[in-house]
Amino acid sequence: MVDSEFARFVNLVAMVAVFGGFALTAVLESIWPRYQWSARERTLHFLQNLLIWITLVVSFSLVFQWFLKPVWDVLSLQKVGLLNLLEVPYWAAWAVGFLIADFSDYLVHRISHQWKPMWLLHAVHHSDPKVDVSTSLRQHPLSPFPGLAFRLVILLGFGVPLEVFLVRDALAIVLSHMHHAAIAWTPNALAWWERWVGWLLVTPAAHQTHHSPDVKYTDSNFGQFLSLWDRWLGTYQTPPIPLQETGLSRLSDPEWHTWWGLLKTPWKVRRYWDQL
């Protein structure tokens, strides 16, 4: 297969994994629920997060198809980037590119907690008082663009193949479903995750600790897939067990959790952004 065909194939597999992973996680939440909420409460919570996600998908798809993809294709044909200049073998470009793609996501996530414009957008995700699999959908429609622009500059600068970017992000999304899952993990199960998986991958306990309203924990555990960056760069916090509450105290009122409330959050809370 030529590169474009392979990229489409990778994208198809990624979509199956993403949506299949979401459905499987939702079923596991139903079997072992973390929260004692009614079917109506859970359904309304899901629909609110789904609606803001649909808004994001529409805006992102337009920008990707009309601008990002054509620019990427042109630059890819020019073979720009360090890996292309060094004529690195394709398998090595995959390995190095995967690490670069993951590290770039860590950097963007960390910056989104420190730079006011990005934090105001990212706070929409953190404001969810009951983190479950649908929280992974809860993103402001403008939130992907600053980080994506930053990541594209890094990835193009290094000449990372597009399909590496797609695979890494698909795997991160699948793992994100488990990160946010409202599953009633036992202390032993959480300890198992930390011992056998946490040395390499971000665990549910580590990421749900990141969703704590306590700023000590909110500003930690920025990794989305590999846990190496947090551990090496001093931003890792050992998850407290049992897990803490989630959400942002200043955004706990119901008005912030409607579709319109989520959309207007970055503008309505900009005066006290550093108190969220």
Side-chain angles (χ1 to χ4, degrees):
M1 290 185 291
V2 298
D3 289 347
S4 61
E5 292 176 335
F6 182 59
R8 284 194 291 270
F9 172 74
V10 168
N11 195 36
L12 175 62
V13 173
M15 289 302 98
V16 171
V18 166
F19 289 104
F22 186 96
L24 176 60
T25 306
V27 170
L28 294 176
E29 287 183 337
S30 301
I31 298 174
W32 298 290
R34 178 182 178 185
Y35 306 118
Q36 299 301 315
W37 54 2
S38 66
R40 181 177 182 276
E41 289 175 320
R42 186 185 181 197
T43 301
L44 287 176
H45 180 259
F46 170 77
L47 291 176
Q48 288 167 353
N49 289 340
L50 178 65
L51 188 56
I52 197 70
W53 178 76
I54 291 173
T55 310
L56 179 150
V57 168
V58 171
S59 63
F60 181 82
S61 297
L62 293 175
V63 173
F64 184 81
Q65 292 298 327
W66 292 350
F67 177 71
L68 296 177
K69 184 62 165 59
V71 170
W72 187 288
D73 288 342
V74 170
L75 293 175
S76 296
L77 288 174
Q78 300 301 318
K79 298 296 183 182
V80 299
L82 183 62
L83 296 176
N84 289 313
L85 291 175
L86 297 176
E87 298 184 350
V88 173
Y90 189 64
W91 65 268
W94 257 85
V96 175
F98 190 96
L99 292 175
I100 293 172
D102 196 68
F103 182 62
S104 70
D105 197 30
Y106 165 87
L107 284 179
V108 167
H109 194 184
R110 187 169 179 176
I111 292 169
S112 71
H113 279 250
Q114 298 170 345
W115 186 36
K116 178 180 177 179
M118 290 183 67
W119 172 238
L120 289 172
L121 295 170
H122 189 51
V124 169
H125 177 67
H126 273 269
S127 66
D128 201 337
K130 288 189 174 182
V131 170
D132 74 345
V133 66
S134 75
T135 306
S136 62
L137 307 177
R138 185 187 177 108
Q139 308 284 348
H140 194 279
L142 298 179
S143 63
F145 298 114
L148 182 61
F150 177 78
R151 293 184 71 203
L152 287 177
V153 169
I154 292 178
L155 297 176
L156 286 169
F158 281 96
V160 177
L162 176 59
E163 53 270 25
V164 176
F165 177 77
L166 294 174
V167 168
R168 182 268 160 203
D169 279 20
L171 290 173
I173 291 172
V174 172
L175 189 59
S176 175
H177 297 154
M178 194 60 67
H179 288 165
H180 297 97
I183 296 173
W185 301 105
T186 66
N188 285 340
L190 293 174
W192 184 92
W193 274 95
E194 291 305 307
R195 180 178 181 182
W196 297 106
V197 181
W199 64 273
L200 178 63
L201 302 179
V202 178
T203 65
H207 190 75
Q208 293 206 18
T209 295
H210 175 74
H211 276 269
S212 167
D214 185 341
V215 68
K216 168 187 174 182
Y217 293 114
T218 309
D219 291 339
S220 69
N221 299 357
F222 297 110
Q224 306 277 3
F225 188 72
L226 298 175
S227 66
L228 307 177
W229 319 119
D230 281 301
R231 295 179 183 277
W232 290 348
L233 298 176
T235 55
Y236 183 78
Q237 283 282 358
T238 302
I241 298 176
L243 297 176
Q244 297 187 339
E245 296 299 315
T246 56
L248 296 174
S249 301
R250 293 294 295 268
L251 299 178
S252 59
D253 291 341
E255 66 171 303
W256 301 111
H257 305 293
T258 64
W259 177 78
W260 180 239
L262 294 173
L263 281 181
K264 70 180 183 180
T265 291
W267 290 272
K268 296 292 288 186
V269 304
R270 64 187 184 278
R271 292 186 181 87
Y272 52 90
W273 69 278
D274 56 343
Q275 302 172 28
L276 296 178

